[in-house]
Amino acid sequence: MTGDYKGDYQELVDEISELLGVPATLENRDFELIAFGAYDSEGDLDPSALDPVRTRSILTRRSTAAVRTWFEGFGITRASGPVRIPPTPEAGVYRGRICLPVRHRGVVLGYVWLLESDPGPTGPQLDAAMRVTARIGALLADEAQHGADLSRELRAVLTAERGWQADMAVAALRTALGSRGDGPYAVVCVAPWPSADPEDSPSARTVPHTTASCTVPWGVSAQSLALLVRLRATDTPTPANSAAARLLERARGMGGGGPEEGGPAPVAAGVAAARVGLAELAPAWQEASAAARAALAEPRLGPVAQWSRIGPYRLLTALPPEAAHDPAVSPLLSPAHRELARTAETYLDCAGQAARTAAELGIHRQTLYYRLSRVEQLTGLDLDEGEDRLLLHMALKGARL
């Protein structure tokens, strides 16, 4: 925590501790410790009164992913009032907790934690404490608005040319993020974003687990939305997938469509492979945008496509647009031959198995053979030759992009 905010948080946490007569700690929504107050009463400062979870939180200033998941299972992310959590020694929680959610305009921004005591706080005392949490929420929101909008820094990294420019952009983002830039993260692309108006772009703090967001040019005149999403582990992409799905829903509400809808403005999302540092942020963006392009081209891959699961599109999206157009295949791509192109692509998707292809297309096998012969006549390619089949398959897939 930087600037003048830290002292303000400490004062508010001390106020809650005094109101309730028990120690209180304040963590942000990622369970990173912001401030803690030690109420000076007999027994509360005794080390035996602490448990491993509270001790680790104070000493390391954060909780583990397992502890976070366990506490969230009690519904604290949705609660608007105090939540009582019983002691669970097997989870390292030897004393019960009371969680006071810190919210601002309906968004949970953090949690105040109290150790259960006997007698515990009364209802009126907890009501008074919740009024203090509202002030903490306003403070967190103010800090997010004035000190944590990293859209400019993120956009600079994603659009910088390789070399010293890119290195400087990454350094600036790393400085702005501080310790938040160390953990695992994933980059998400939602494209095309339905509006170029900055007011229509979501703030990072309104999307759970998102550290930064910005718009990036998409094609000639459109925009895409980029997000930097924190992960609990490199093999757990759930936060990135959830953020992508949430923003797709918002994009559709703004007038964008889904790739399965066949509308005039389809929207899809791509998620890059997880990274641990910021040095590979630009390659991660290339992966995320490539996955979004693949989902737009192949509805079966979306609406949220993982880079690791887009198959040949990992190679095809890396090619310059003109490279995907082969002169031999061009005649097949005219509107007059759309059915022949679909037949050829299905045949190659089915590994050249005639019976399977005919069933997929719902046609007689003789009709399939006739169409394939027409494909050979139009392209000059021999579908009995592996290299010709590879060229045709890549060109047909590339045309979708």
Side-chain angles (χ1 to χ4, degrees):
M1 204 59 56
T2 59
D4 297 328
Y5 291 101
K6 182 175 176 60
D8 295 334
Y9 292 129
Q10 187 64 57
E11 288 182 8
L12 291 169
V13 170
D14 288 341
E15 184 177 340
I16 291 177
S17 293
E18 290 291 336
L19 273 171
L20 304 181
V22 294
T25 59
L26 171 64
E27 295 178 337
N28 65 19
R29 65 184 175 193
D30 295 319
F31 283 56
E32 296 169 336
L33 185 66
I34 297 175
F36 66 93
Y39 179 73
D40 189 11
S41 67
E42 186 178 352
D44 281 328
L45 296 181
D46 184 346
S48 65
L50 303 179
D51 55 37
V53 169
R54 179 175 166 84
T55 301
R56 186 186 191 283
S57 173
I58 292 175
L59 293 179
T60 68
R61 306 196 71 82
R62 69 187 307 154
S63 296
T64 65
V67 166
R68 174 177 171 172
T69 300
W70 188 80
F71 278 124
E72 287 178 345
F74 288 90
I76 62 175
T77 60
R78 302 181 300 276
S80 57
V83 178
R84 296 184 182 272
I85 298 173
T88 310
E90 60 270 25
V93 179
Y94 296 159
R95 292 184 60 176
R97 302 285 202 278
I98 300 177
C99 175
L100 307 181
V102 177
R103 308 182 78 88
H104 183 74
R105 294 183 178 176
V107 178
V108 64
L109 300 178
Y111 308 99
V112 171
W113 296 97
L114 315 169
L115 290 175
E116 282 274 32
S117 58
D118 188 20
T122 64
Q125 284 179 309
L126 289 174
D127 289 342
M130 285 301 297
R131 288 192 288 272
V132 180
T133 67
R135 289 154 57 195
I136 295 174
L139 199 63
L140 284 168
D142 183 69
E143 182 185 18
Q145 181 177 358
H146 294 94
D149 182 5
L150 303 176
S151 58
R152 182 178 60 182
E153 289 84 354
L154 180 60
R155 186 182 298 107
V157 173
L158 302 186
T159 58
E161 296 183 3
R162 292 183 181 180
W164 66 270
Q165 258 190 346
D167 294 341
M168 288 184 63
V170 170
L173 180 60
R174 184 180 289 115
T175 299
L177 285 172
S179 61
R180 292 179 296 163
D182 298 334
Y185 68 85
V187 176
V188 174
C189 171
V190 181
W193 189 247
S195 174
D197 187 344
E199 294 296 323
D200 292 329
S201 298
S203 167
R205 70 185 180 91
T206 65
V207 184
H209 311 291
T210 299
T211 297
S213 66
C214 69
T215 54
V216 179
W218 180 266
V220 177
S221 58
Q223 297 284 319
S224 60
L225 185 68
L227 294 96
L228 185 62
V229 181
R230 298 181 303 277
L231 304 179
R232 298 177 186 178
T234 54
D235 60 352
T236 308
T238 305
N241 295 339
S242 299
R246 179 171 178 164
L247 288 170
L248 276 177
E249 184 176 350
R250 176 168 175 174
R252 290 169 184 167
M254 293 164 58
E260 73 282 356
E261 297 170 4
V267 182
V271 179
R275 302 298 203 282
V276 174
L278 297 176
E280 295 189 6
L281 189 55
W285 170 245
Q286 296 302 320
E287 291 179 4
S289 56
R293 288 179 63 200
L296 290 169
E298 284 277 13
R300 62 181 176 80
L301 296 174
V304 178
Q306 307 290 321
W307 161 257
S308 60
R309 298 179 182 175
I310 62 174
Y313 287 103
R314 290 200 295 270
L315 294 176
L316 290 170
T317 52
L319 296 174
E322 63 276 7
H325 301 287
D326 187 84
V329 184
S330 294
L332 189 61
L333 299 177
S334 69
H337 300 305
R338 185 175 292 115
E339 195 60 42
L340 290 179
R342 175 169 171 263
T343 298
E345 186 174 4
T346 304
Y347 175 71
L348 295 168
D349 286 346
C350 292
Q353 298 176 28
R356 183 179 160 198
T357 306
E360 182 78 19
L361 293 171
I363 60 176
H364 193 275
R365 196 179 302 189
Q366 289 301 319
T367 303
L368 171 65
Y369 291 143
Y370 169 75
R371 290 184 183 177
L372 293 178
S373 68
R374 289 281 294 129
V375 169
E376 291 181 323
Q377 291 171 10
L378 283 168
T379 63
L381 300 175
D382 184 350
L383 295 183
D384 289 331
E385 293 293 330
E387 290 189 356
D388 283 5
R389 290 166 79 157
L390 176 61
L391 172 62
L392 178 58
H393 208 178
M394 289 184 66
L396 290 171
K397 295 294 185 189
R400 290 182 174 273
L401 295 171

